[in-house]
Amino acid sequence: MYLMDGGSISSHGQVYKITNSSWSIDNYGDFNGDGKDDLLFQNASSGIGTGYIMNGVSPSSTGKIYTASGAWSVLDLLDFNGDGKSDILWTNTGTNKTMDYIMNALSVSSFGTIFGAGTKAPINP
């Protein structure tokens, strides 16, 4: 990982050495509201999602957040409740359901279905 200062590298480091090709960085956002991007890794074989709270190029904490099953996958990280922390938006390609995980650092504080099968999303002109 490289921390940039304009067009120059200010520091760098190895966050995690991926030795199993099933693991990849799925997304990034600010899970703990400190203004720094954190990482979300996912294992394509097991469905396990692990969050890394970052402090520069070093993780300050890590933890398993979820195990995705079937056709569920992370669509995006957004702040649904306005607390300055990234929440997880899920989609299921098999059922067309969409749901959210409201996050507090690496813990799910609540979750719910946003759109279920047969529900049409509202469209704003």
Side-chain angles (χ1 to χ4, degrees):
M1 173 181 281
Y2 295 99
L3 290 182
M4 302 301 292
D5 182 11
S8 302
I9 298 171
S10 62
S11 66
H12 60 86
Q14 181 173 302
V15 176
Y16 176 74
K17 184 176 182 180
I18 298 176
T19 56
N20 179 333
S21 62
S22 294
W23 284 99
S24 64
I25 296 176
D26 187 52
N27 217 318
Y28 64 92
D30 185 3
F31 286 118
N32 62 344
D34 66 355
K36 300 174 187 174
D37 284 330
D38 305 311
L39 302 175
L40 178 63
F41 284 83
Q42 183 159 346
N43 185 303
S45 297
S46 67
I48 293 174
T50 302
Y52 280 59
I53 302 292
M54 300 301 296
N55 184 15
V57 296
S58 302
S60 61
S61 64
T62 65
K64 177 182 168 186
I65 298 174
Y66 61 82
T67 300
S69 61
W72 285 103
S73 62
V74 173
L75 186 60
D76 207 350
L77 299 181
L78 305 162
D79 183 6
F80 287 110
N81 59 351
D83 65 354
K85 300 174 188 174
S86 293
D87 305 310
I88 301 175
L89 177 64
W90 289 90
T91 187
N92 185 311
T93 56
T95 63
N96 293 322
K97 285 186 180 179
T98 305
M99 60 183 305
D100 65 338
Y101 277 8
I102 302 298
M103 302 298 296
N104 184 14
L106 298 178
S107 299
V108 178
S109 61
S110 65
F111 62 91
T113 300
I114 299 173
F115 300 111
T119 305
K120 294 184 178 180
I123 298 174
N124 295 322

